[in-house]
């Protein structure tokens, strides 16, 4: 939670950097690209490092990288500083996604049985939400608006590292650390036909997240006429937090049906977002943001469920590497493209461009979504038990 809270902390300050230091929307989009590149590099190259160095060393390394990025953000007056900080934080977040998640699963008690999965899956989302809201509140109401939130995050990261230092190691270090740096991205042949739709869902969902992290602050200030950093944090939280509802809602349907439903809900939210921008209504913008957050949560969880259908333990890490590679590389490309276009187009036009991509992605998903193959000869109820487990 501390790792992801630190990652979300700069969002309410983007308009401050824009007003006081002359940063541009293109620069903020480039900062998201730097963050994405860091995450991709960490996931592809460092994702299995904790298996060889031990969970504690890898976890402390991830917190150290995040701490360095946070300390760089204490003195941001040039876009290069912001890019360097976001790159470091991307690498730290990517390493934390593998090492800390594995550490949680290893160390969790057997009772209650749901604790490990809930802590590992919802911790990042809760961290992003609380980090954005807390940052907005501190920037708006506390002293040292450009520094205090980063000092708080740095303190939490140091405390987290100290707690890990005194915690037991759960994975015995083994040889092969250098070999583990060789990227492994593989999708089993049985689910490759699902990849085009899944990739579409992942890319458009994460691209929308990039929009909220880079261009949304300026849009809210310029088009919706609010200068409140707290509102910026709440708007970002309104997009991220509702996505946790996606798995339980989508789990009631087959993966293909849930992807269709999720993308239709996602499109409905984006129609509301563009309408709110056109008429300048903040409450409608927030409400539509919540709807789109729920929709992307349904679609993403269903796409992931389809790709993981019938997977073995050895399959899962390469599949997740492929998923994250699609998510962040696609989102980074779209963010870079629209960031450059922001020099020539207005923010409402940029939002309309994102909305157009959502329409295309929704149409493709509705027409092309498929369920994974199942074994029709199974006489022991494995299929129904799998669907129930996946829904849970």
């Amino acid at each position: 939670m501390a790792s992801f809270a630190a990652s979300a902390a700069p969002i309410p300050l983007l308009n401050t950097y824009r007003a006081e230091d002359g940063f541009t929307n293109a620069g903020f989009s480039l900062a998201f690209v730097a963050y994405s590149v860091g995450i991709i590099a960490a996931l592809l190259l460092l994702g299995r490092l904790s298996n060889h160095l031990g969970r504690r060393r890898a976890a402390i390394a991830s917190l150290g990288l995040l701490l360095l990025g946070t300390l760089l953000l204490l003195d941001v007056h040039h876009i290069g500083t912001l890019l360097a900080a976001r790159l470091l934080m991307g690498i730290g977040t990517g390493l934390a996604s593998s090492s800390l998640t594995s550490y949680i699963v290893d160390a969790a008690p057997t009772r209650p049985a749901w604790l490990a999965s809930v802590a590992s899956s919802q911790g990042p989302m809760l961290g992003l939400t609380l980090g954005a809201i807390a940052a907005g509140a501190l920037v708006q109401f506390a002293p040292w608006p450009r520094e205090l939130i980063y000092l708080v995050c740095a303190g939490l990261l140091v405390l987290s590292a100290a707690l890990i230092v005194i915690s037991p190691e759960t994975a015995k270090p083994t040889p092969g650390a250098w070999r583990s740096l060789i990227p492994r991205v593989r999708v089993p042949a049985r689910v490759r036909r699902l990849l085009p739709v899944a990739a579409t869902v992942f890319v458009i969902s994460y691209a929308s997240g990039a929009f909220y992290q880079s261009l949304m602050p300026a849009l809210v200030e310029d088009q919706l006429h609010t200068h409140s950093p707290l509102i910026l944090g709440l708007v970002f939280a309104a997009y991220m937090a509702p996505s946790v509802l996606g798995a339980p809602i989508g789990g009631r349907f087959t993966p293909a049906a849930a992807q269709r439903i999720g993308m239709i809900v996602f499109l409905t939210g984006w129609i509301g977002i563009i309408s709110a921008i056109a008429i300048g209504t903040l409450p409608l913008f927030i409400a539509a943001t919540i709807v789109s957050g729920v929709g992307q949560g349904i679609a993403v969880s269903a796409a992931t469920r389809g790709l993981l259908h019938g997977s073995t333990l050895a399959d899962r890490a390469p599949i997740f590497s492929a998923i994250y590679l699609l998510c962040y590389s696609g989102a980074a490309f779209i963010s870079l493209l629209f960031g450059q276009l922001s020099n020539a187009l207005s923010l409402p036009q940029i939002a309309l461009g994102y909305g157009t991509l959502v329409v295309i992605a929704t149409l493709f998903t509705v027409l092309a979504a498929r369920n994974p193959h199942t074994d029709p000869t199974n006489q022991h109820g494995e299929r129904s038990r799998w669907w129930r487990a996946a829904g849970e």
Side-chain angles (χ1 to χ4, degrees), residues 68-149:
L68 288 175
T70 302
L71 294 177
L72 275 179
L73 291 171
L74 285 170
D75 187 29
V76 176
H77 295 285
H78 187 273
I79 191 64
T81 306
L82 180 62
L83 295 180
R86 294 306 279 167
L87 178 63
L88 283 171
M89 297 182 83
I91 298 172
T93 302
L95 182 55
S97 297
S98 59
S99 61
L100 286 172
T101 300
S102 300
Y103 204 178
I104 289 170
V105 174
D106 293 347
T110 56
R111 292 280 185 256
W114 48 261
L115 180 60
S117 60
V118 170
S120 59
S121 63
Q122 304 309 320
M125 196 62 66
L126 188 57
L128 287 169
T129 301
L130 294 178
I133 295 174
L138 290 178
V139 171
Q140 184 163 340
F141 300 113
W144 313 320
R146 292 178 62 128
E147 295 88 15
L148 183 59
I149 182 57

Side-chain angles (χ1 to χ4, degrees), residues 259-310:
Q259 286 175 86
R260 294 187 182 103
I261 292 169
M263 288 303 294
I264 291 171
V265 174
F266 186 55
L267 175 59
T268 302
W270 262 96
I271 292 172
I273 289 167
I274 293 171
S275 300
I277 294 170
I279 61 179
T281 304
L282 181 62
L284 176 59
F285 185 85
I286 294 175
T289 294
I290 293 172
V291 172
S292 64
V294 172
Q296 65 96 9
I298 295 171
V300 167
S301 64
T304 303
R305 181 157 50 102
L307 292 180
L308 290 175
H309 174 66

